Amino acid sequence: QVQLVESGGGLVQAGGSLRLSCAASGRTFSSYAMGWFRQAPGKEREFVAGIKWSGASTYYADSVKGRFTISRDNAKNTVYLQMNSLKPEDTAVYYCNVISDYNDPTPLPTWGQGTQVTVSS
């Protein structure tokens, strides 16, 4: 079983930046691809970015490509999401999870509490 704790969200103005962190425990973190997802009110959960277990390959949704960067530190069991040039449409609760592969967003069934990101215009 894996436990996931997301942090780093907050309120930021459009054009600003935030760095999200996801601390994982309970499994061999470095063996698994990890992904970031987000869910805005009234919308389905969306796959935002994925990273291979080694960090060698990454995937981004078109909506965030060029603005967001996913990275990981296997020594710290942590995955990050650097978000730059934020837009109001990025407002959502952001979640991380283990995924099947960096570009295959099949997640584990258990989710963390997420972290709220709010971008004001």
Side-chain angles (χ1 to χ4, degrees):
Q1 187 174 355
V2 62
Q3 293 80 43
L4 303 163
V5 179
E6 300 92 344
S7 62
L11 173 63
V12 64
Q13 289 188 335
S17 298
L18 284 174
R19 189 195 195 201
L20 306 184
S21 298
C22 169
S25 61
R27 299 187 75 165
T28 308
F29 175 80
S30 61
S31 299
Y32 298 96
M34 295 293 296
W36 282 97
F37 299 77
R38 67 186 180 185
Q39 189 167 21
K43 295 188 177 181
E44 293 188 354
R45 192 167 287 167
E46 173 190 15
F47 179 50
V48 173
I51 187 165
K52 205 171 183 66
W53 64 271
S54 63
S57 298
T58 56
Y59 168 87
Y60 298 95
D62 287 344
S63 57
V64 306
K65 199 172 294 182
R67 301 187 297 120
F68 290 11
T69 302
I70 187 171
S71 61
R72 66 190 295 160
D73 185 338
N74 287 341
K76 296 182 178 180
N77 283 9
T78 302
V79 62
Y80 305 97
L81 187 67
Q82 177 68 42
M83 306 187 295
N84 298 328
S85 302
L86 282 162
K87 304 176 181 180
E89 51 263 45
D90 294 319
T91 295
V93 179
Y94 283 72
Y95 303 87
C96 67
N97 209 335
V98 174
I99 54 177
S100 295
D101 205 349
Y102 72 99
N103 56 357
D104 178 357
T106 304
L108 292 178
T110 302
W111 295 85
Q113 84 288 349
T115 186
Q116 175 72 47
V117 172
T118 303
V119 184
S120 64
S121 57

